[in-house]
Amino acid sequence: MRAFSLVLTAATAAVALATPALAQTDPNPTPPITDPADNNRITLGLGVASLPDYEGADSNSFTPGAVAIGTVRGHDFFTRGTQLYVNLIPNTGSVGINYEVGVIAAVRTDRTGRVDNRQVRALGKIDTAYEVGGFVGVGKTGVITSDYDTLTARVAYIHDVSGTHDSYVITPQVNYTTPLSVRTLVAFGLSADYAGKGFGRTYAAVTPIGTINSGLRTYDINDSGFRRVNVSAFALQSLSGDLRRGFGVGAGVLYGRMLGKYKDSPIVADVGDADQWLGAVGLTYTFWIATRRSIRNPVRPGRAGFFRLRPRPLRLCSSYPGGAPIRA
């Protein structure tokens, strides 16, 4: 689930990131939303992926998954695997440099269910870990290919609060998105995980009792370090003719490489594989949430401006009139 969502989240995030660029290629552009209270949009994704049985496994299986990303009252949110990110800084929709400061809530389910490998399964299940943390980031629109491509850099920190691994993970992330048209865009990503020693002892170590049960050699991790690096590429195509609203289809591939002592762990080096490949394909649906001000004076192609009222309760709409980028 986590690996699948990394693929599909990047694809759906690309829609939001490229919104200003898509508006430039629209023959009937609508004005940007500059008031955070008017910036309300959600993209949902459903799909299927081929991903490793566990992190470091040498075999893949197919699994379904779902993601969500959007903006409500100007505050961006998105899922990254089983993690939920919420940006506390409102997004006003300005093109240029934007900053992020946010919170994260997460659930880690690695090896909490059935594992196909007999020896790894004999090590026993690991309890679900509940984690909280935060992130900071900066994004810039207009970087390489045009005034509308987007580069975002972010660092996330999460810590276990359930006592499962009682440690932390720091994840630096870099994402680049560029639209090819109002119907098509591509995105590329790079990320890495730096984990504390408690994390390594929980997910990569083999205790003496584990050796007796599984036949794997005893192995311990007694310090922190980088455990994995990921490189990804994605493409998204609208089925409705406009990525800013309606249905779309996304596909992507992600390559992950286990690093350091995690690569040398028996569950990777002896019965697994340090090279991790996954692919995913899924459907997305994008809609916007209108405030009463936009309902009273809806924005139509070729007409500019909003009737300025105090923010009112939200209402779901099936089309999207344009708006601000969000950083995800």
Side-chain angles (χ1 to χ4, degrees):
M1 173 68 81
R2 178 181 182 275
F4 162 81
S5 296
L6 291 179
V7 172
L8 199 54
T9 295
T12 55
V15 177
L17 285 166
T19 292
L22 295 173
Q24 297 296 324
T25 60
D26 192 341
N28 296 303
T30 55
I33 295 173
T34 57
D35 189 329
D38 291 318
N39 188 11
N40 304 288
R41 174 188 57 252
I42 295 176
T43 298
L44 304 176
L46 292 172
V48 63
S50 171
L51 63 148
D53 187 38
Y54 62 89
E55 288 197 72
D58 64 352
S59 61
N60 283 30
S61 59
F62 288 97
T63 184
V67 298
I69 181 171
T71 301
V72 176
R73 298 292 191 190
H75 292 279
D76 306 332
F77 73 89
F78 61 95
T79 57
R80 187 177 187 271
T82 53
Q83 301 174 345
L84 173 64
Y85 285 58
V86 179
N87 187 9
L88 301 180
I89 299 179
N91 188 343
T92 62
S94 60
V95 175
I97 296 179
N98 290 270
Y99 299 96
E100 302 175 335
V101 176
V103 295
I104 304 171
V107 177
R108 189 175 300 273
T109 59
D110 193 27
R111 288 169 55 193
T112 58
R114 178 179 173 80
V115 174
D116 290 339
N117 184 278
R118 177 183 58 82
Q119 290 179 280
V120 176
R121 186 169 66 246
L123 295 174
K125 295 181 179 180
I126 299 175
D127 292 337
T128 300
Y130 299 93
E131 302 160 332
V132 296
F135 66 95
V136 295
V138 60
K140 186 178 188 304
T141 302
V143 184
I144 300 174
T145 61
S146 68
D147 290 339
Y148 317 115
D149 59 340
T150 303
L151 181 67
T152 305
R154 180 186 302 115
V155 177
Y157 173 92
I158 54 174
H159 197 288
D160 175 33
V161 294
S162 59
T164 299
H165 60 81
D166 196 27
S167 190
Y168 64 89
V169 178
I170 300 173
T171 305
Q173 310 161 30
V174 178
N175 299 293
Y176 175 74
T177 302
T178 184
L180 304 181
S181 71
V182 74
R183 299 178 179 84
T184 308
L185 60 83
V186 293
F188 306 93
L190 175 66
S191 66
D193 285 343
Y194 184 95
K197 62 181 179 181
F199 186 97
R201 288 176 175 173
T202 302
Y203 294 100
V206 178
T207 65
I209 294 178
T211 296
I212 295 173
N213 293 335
S214 67
L216 296 171
R217 56 189 168 87
T218 302
Y219 188 79
D220 191 22
I221 293 181
N222 55 15
D223 57 6
S224 58
F226 281 98
R227 73 180 190 94
R228 176 171 175 150
V229 63
N230 301 302
V231 179
S232 57
F234 314 95
L236 197 59
Q237 177 69 38
S238 171
L239 298 178
S240 59
D242 190 335
L243 286 167
R244 295 167 297 169
R245 56 179 172 263
F247 288 98
V249 59
V253 61
L254 183 147
Y255 168 73
R257 175 72 179 179
M258 307 301 293
L259 303 175
K261 294 186 176 181
Y262 292 86
K263 179 186 67 175
D264 297 333
S265 168
I267 68 172
V268 179
D270 297 349
V271 297
D273 193 338
D275 296 310
Q276 302 282 282
W277 287 94
L278 69 93
V281 61
L283 288 173
T284 66
Y285 182 72
T286 300
F287 58 94
W288 67 289
I289 308 173
T291 59
R292 186 172 296 180
R293 78 182 73 193
S294 58
I295 295 172
R296 286 188 59 177
N297 189 30
V299 177
R300 298 181 177 88
R303 297 187 181 182
F306 283 97
F307 184 72
R308 291 297 170 185
L309 296 175
R310 295 175 59 189
R312 300 294 184 183
L314 302 179
R315 174 176 166 185
L316 297 180
C317 298
S318 60
S319 61
Y320 172 57
I326 66 173
R327 309 293 156 189

